[in-house]
Amino acid sequence: MKLRQFGFIAALLLAASISGSGPMPPGSIAMPEPVAAATVVDLDGVADIDFGDSESELTRRGILRTDVDACGPTLAGHDMISPIFIEDRLVLLWAGDPVRTPEGIAAGTPTAEVMASYPTVRKLRAPQGTYRFDGLLARDGDRAYLFLHDGRTVRKVIAGYADWAQRLFVEGHAPC
């Protein structure tokens, strides 16, 4: 019986070897996550969540969760995004890696790439003597991306209403 099992396993290994499952070329062993698989935040919001949605509506739809141990409400299925509400309306989404804009900008992206992707970006300086990041504000009408950066790379992506993004930057508030 054991000889039979050994023969079966050997035959499977031989078939796998013949079918081309030999050594893999460098760089193909760990496949990077496709960009399409990452959560995308745009100037309307994120899948099924729009700027201007009310807290009560998102809660009723099961998207906004307050039952988790976090510093505020969270979005179901979006662990790396913190919603910011003003007067019961979603005004900003504070996003961490791997969340990205449609142009592929995420935490870790070089600031030069941000400026190339958004040619009208406006530079914002953090107040002297603070430990806050500088910002790059990419505005489109009443909406904007605010990219907080360390001078070299993006550290946080914030999307939403432009006036609230600027106010957040000036006042230095964070979700937690």
Side-chain angles (χ1 to χ4, degrees):
M1 182 70 166
K2 287 185 182 183
L3 184 59
R4 192 173 176 161
Q5 288 175 334
F6 177 79
F8 180 71
I9 293 170
L12 284 176
L13 288 172
L14 179 63
S17 175
I18 292 170
S19 71
S21 64
M24 297 177 73
S28 65
I29 294 172
M31 294 296 292
E33 178 180 321
V35 173
T39 300
V40 174
V41 62
D42 62 28
L43 293 179
D44 291 322
V46 69
D48 297 328
I49 303 165
D50 295 323
F51 295 114
D53 284 350
S54 71
E55 283 185 79
S56 54
E57 171 64 17
L58 293 174
T59 301
R60 186 187 65 70
R61 290 174 31 209
I63 293 172
L64 188 66
R65 300 186 55 208
T66 56
D67 61 337
V68 294
D69 187 23
C71 64
T74 60
L75 301 174
H78 299 287
D79 296 338
M80 298 308 297
I81 300 176
S82 297
I84 299 175
F85 293 90
I86 304 293
E87 297 175 5
D88 189 48
R89 296 291 175 183
L90 179 64
V91 297
L92 296 171
L93 293 171
W94 183 285
D97 192 36
V99 179
R100 44 192 48 14
T101 69
E103 294 76 18
I105 306 299
T109 301
T111 55
E113 193 174 323
V114 172
M115 292 189 280
S117 296
Y118 304 96
T120 60
V121 74
R122 193 171 123 219
K123 296 177 182 180
L124 303 174
R125 289 279 193 213
Q128 290 286 47
T130 66
Y131 293 99
R132 294 174 20 203
F133 292 117
D134 288 339
L136 296 170
L137 186 72
R139 189 176 183 135
D140 185 7
D142 71 337
R143 310 287 172 93
Y145 294 111
L146 173 59
F147 302 102
L148 300 180
H149 64 90
D150 61 9
R152 294 181 316 276
T153 59
V154 172
R155 300 299 294 265
K156 284 288 181 186
V157 175
I158 301 163
Y161 291 107
D163 292 343
W164 285 108
Q166 260 186 291
R167 185 171 177 180
L168 176 129
F169 182 80
V170 169
E171 295 177 6
H173 296 292
C176 295

